[in-house]
Amino acid sequence: MRAAVAVAGVLTTLVAAACSSSPGTTQSSGPRGELTVLSLGPVTTWDPQRLSTPQDIAFAGRTFLRTLTAFPPGRDATAQRHVVGDLATDAGSPDSTLKVWRFTLRKGISWQDGSPITCEDVRYGIARSFAQPFASEGLTYPLAYLDLPRKADGSTTFTGPSDASGQAAFDKAVSCSGSTITFRLAAPMADFSEALAMPVFAPMKKSADKGKAGTYAVFSSGPYLLKEPWDSSAGGTFVRNAKWDKASDPIRKALPDSIHYVQGTESQTAVQAVINNQSENTAAVTLDSAPPAMQQHVLSDPGLRARSVNPSSQFVDYLAPNVERGVMKNPDVRTALALATNRDSYVAALGGASAASAAYSLIGPTLPGHRSDDPLGAGSAGDAAAARTALQKSGLTLPVTVRVAYRSTPTADKAMAALSNGWQDAGFSVKLQPIAKNYFETISAPAQLAKTDVFWANWAPAWPSASTVIPPLFDSRLNLTGSGTGRDFGGFTDAKVNATITHIQSLPSLDDQAPAWADLDASLARRAVFVALAQHKSLYVAGSAVTRFGANEALGGFVDLAAIGVG
């Protein structure tokens, strides 16, 4: 979902399961064999300043794309989300204001041509994110966070490496002194070192920059390089980068000799091929989650279960009531909707326990600040009687008509119908509004607030911090403009909430911020500003020759290729 990785927050999604090895396979101790990865795709780009899809970011970051910081692999799910130095020696040093951060590059880091990766390469990579097409296609965190002069519309006066007029301002915001790079931010940011793990902050060698023509160009800083030009319909093969120094890389084990990326494979076909475990598919993994219809087959077979992982994807489905106008402006009506929401039926329609779990918080279970309790006390099945009482308290005549917009798919149609039953039992008359195309664009248009009472939506964090969840969705300063609601689909605005967000972001450590985010999340849920529905899960399968197969919560819950091997 592209909106999940915009200025307001990305992408990303996290896993509950740690890495695990397939029973009966050898633990590879050195490079061996070719790993095949199967994906539907399509990969839209491999350019670091244009990458925005979490799955592609996860693949690139473990194979050919290094950043100043990264999230480590391993079996410990808690350790996975603690960012460490990658190209940098450590996770950086902030000053007391949290607005100035310094990082020192490691020794021995090089490009695929053997030339050293320099501080100026990092600066150049970040600078190109302000130019086109990168500024409109890629992540926009540098624009959001760096201390640069801004125009009235929020854009900066710096427009990329060729912009001489804005260069001085950029040089102040991102500066080099030998192997040390210093960032000056517009506001305090305790998790800036986590943001730097995103590819938009990756280095780019100026002489290797192919600009607009470099959509699939790969100039590697990691253990693998692209053997031949990428085939946008079929994929490509990544082979060992002889200039990569293992001693300089604390993240990537690079155990397979090569990685064959097969693009264009439907998830059902990919899962079945790996389940069959024949020929090259004994050393294959799926990058897309198995369809719900196949998940129970995999998990009910001990042999297949041992070759699978079933992590949280960190995408949370939720409802955003229209608090600006209509019946949902009444807090008792919103409370009634929340109390009547039957999450059990919703999860069942999505595919059951292997596909999702009931959620009460927008802060996922593997993020600091997550809470598992229902602030309203209705529980996962909902409480129709309590909901009806709240609805009667609203002063409106029952049944209360409520119009609910959602992104229509066959599965979503069933899930929303299941929710409707519970709402109707509580005294609502539900009119579903399925939207099949351009869903998020449609519901964020200003005119939609007059047509809809409740909006279905989903979200995932860009990295393991609630700062990439709550502000993007409920800080009206980021969202509400004359051209639309941004991601604040319900038109929620509260100066006190905005002030609380600013205060939390200024707290000196992530440990201080986590309980504050949890409290704010709970208070918004009690006000029924949002109604969390379900936490999505994924299921990936590997062939019998694959070792160290696992997923990583800090990579969005995708397969982690950093330590994977072929036995």
Side-chain angles (χ1 to χ4, degrees):
M1 180 183 63
R2 175 61 189 274
V5 290
V7 172
V10 126
L11 61 186
T12 209
T13 45
L14 310 177
V15 173
C19 288
S20 61
S21 300
S22 303
T25 56
T26 302
Q27 294 298 302
S28 302
S29 58
R32 181 179 178 182
E34 180 171 85
L35 176 73
T36 298
V37 298
L38 305 174
S39 174
L40 175 60
V43 174
T44 57
T45 184
W46 287 129
D47 186 305
Q49 275 71 46
R50 294 162 84 173
L51 274 170
S52 63
T53 305
Q55 184 187 88
D56 298 342
I57 291 172
F59 178 88
R62 291 330 208 192
T63 53
F64 66 84
L65 178 64
R66 296 182 66 180
T67 43
L68 287 175
T69 61
F71 295 97
R75 299 173 183 271
D76 187 337
T78 300
Q80 287 177 351
R81 66 175 181 247
H82 286 103
V83 73
V84 298
D86 183 2
L87 290 174
T89 56
D90 55 30
S93 302
D95 70 354
S96 59
T97 70
L98 298 179
K99 293 173 67 175
V100 179
W101 284 77
R102 291 182 173 84
F103 299 82
T104 300
L105 295 181
R106 294 180 185 275
K107 296 180 180 179
I109 53 177
S110 64
W111 295 107
Q112 67 179 51
D113 64 357
S115 61
I117 298 172
T118 68
C119 182
E120 286 300 328
D121 293 336
V122 178
R123 265 174 38 91
Y124 181 78
I126 297 170
R128 73 196 292 265
S129 74
F130 289 85
Q132 293 298 338
F134 318 104
S136 59
E137 295 181 9
L139 306 177
T140 54
Y141 298 126
L143 167 65
Y145 301 141
L146 294 179
D147 187 12
L148 292 166
R150 299 182 183 275
K151 302 175 184 177
D153 64 359
S155 64
T156 71
T157 56
F158 179 64
T159 58
S162 61
D163 178 14
S165 63
Q167 189 65 48
F170 180 78
D171 290 345
K172 184 177 180 181
V174 185
S175 60
C176 287
S177 177
S179 60
T180 298
I181 186 166
T182 301
F183 297 91
R184 289 176 169 80
L185 310 181
M189 192 171 175
D191 55 352
F192 183 64
S193 58
E194 298 185 0
L196 285 182
M198 297 294 103
V200 69
F201 288 104
M204 170 62 73
K205 187 174 180 178
K206 186 175 182 179
S207 61
D209 184 4
K210 298 184 181 300
K212 296 179 181 180
T215 302
Y216 294 112
V218 170
F219 192 67
S220 178
S221 58
Y224 298 96
L225 54 82
L226 191 57
K227 182 179 180 180
E228 296 175 345
W230 180 262
D231 185 328
S232 59
S233 62
T237 298
F238 294 83
V239 297
R240 190 159 298 281
N241 174 13
K243 302 301 182 181
W244 172 73
D245 181 3
K246 182 177 181 179
S248 76
D249 193 334
I251 303 297
R252 301 157 192 84
K253 303 298 182 185
L255 297 179
D257 286 320
S258 59
I259 300 175
H260 183 204
Y261 192 117
V262 180
Q263 180 172 260
T265 310
E266 294 284 348
S267 60
Q268 182 171 343
T269 302
V271 172
Q272 190 61 58
V274 177
I275 286 175
N276 292 343
N277 203 37
Q278 299 294 315
S279 187
E280 70 274 6
N281 290 321
T282 62
V285 299
T286 60
L287 295 188
D288 300 315
S289 180
M294 301 183 74
Q295 291 182 3
Q296 288 309 308
H297 170 61
V298 172
L299 295 176
S300 62
D301 183 310
L304 295 179
R305 186 184 183 97
R307 294 197 277 123
S308 70
V309 288
N310 188 203
S312 162
S313 75
Q314 278 310 107
F315 272 94
V316 178
D317 290 354
Y318 69 98
L319 302 173
N322 179 352
V323 301
E324 184 177 285
R325 66 186 74 177
V327 295
M328 287 294 156
K329 190 173 183 179
N330 187 318
D332 292 320
V333 177
R334 297 200 305 271
T335 298
L337 182 82
L339 289 169
T341 296
N342 187 332
R343 295 170 174 84
D344 289 343
S345 65
Y346 185 82
V347 168
L350 293 181
S354 63
S357 59
Y360 305 99
S361 169
L362 292 179
I363 302 173
T366 55
L367 268 67
H370 170 72
R371 54 178 183 77
S372 57
D373 62 301
D374 180 0
L376 295 178
S380 60
D383 187 335
R388 182 174 286 270
T389 298
L391 201 55
Q392 291 169 337
K393 183 182 175 183
S394 72
L396 300 179
T397 301
L398 276 61
V400 174
T401 298
V402 58
R403 301 162 297 176
V404 183
Y406 70 97
R407 183 171 58 186
S408 179
T409 66
T411 298
D413 292 343
K414 295 177 183 177
M416 297 306 293
L419 288 178
S420 294
N421 292 333
W423 295 333
Q424 289 170 351
D425 290 344
F428 286 100
S429 174
V430 182
K431 294 184 178 180
L432 294 177
Q433 299 175 327
I435 301 173
K437 295 182 179 180
N438 302 319
Y439 177 72
F440 289 106
E441 179 182 346
T442 299
I443 66 171
S444 64
Q448 197 65 35
L449 284 172
K451 303 175 184 178
T452 300
D453 301 304
V454 179
F455 300 92
W456 173 94
N458 64 3
W459 189 255
W463 54 83
S465 171
S467 70
T468 67
V469 178
I470 302 300
L473 300 181
F474 301 111
D475 189 334
S476 59
R477 297 167 296 184
L478 298 177
N479 287 293
L480 302 185
T481 66
S483 60
T485 59
R487 287 292 307 197
D488 184 1
F489 300 121
F492 174 76
T493 179
D494 186 322
K496 290 183 178 179
V497 169
N498 290 347
T500 299
I501 288 172
T502 299
H503 169 70
I504 295 172
Q505 291 173 328
S506 70
L507 295 176
S509 75
L510 298 180
D511 289 339
D512 294 327
Q513 290 186 6
W517 287 126
D519 289 344
L520 181 55
D521 177 80
S523 72
L524 292 171
R526 282 192 295 270
R527 297 169 62 183
V529 171
F530 71 85
V531 180
L533 296 174
Q535 181 81 46
H536 281 262
K537 301 174 71 177
S538 299
L539 190 140
Y540 307 108
V541 186
S544 61
V546 176
T547 64
R548 304 173 188 247
F549 178 52
N552 193 307
E553 54 183 56
L555 300 182
F558 293 103
V559 172
D560 193 344
L561 300 177
I564 201 168
V566 177

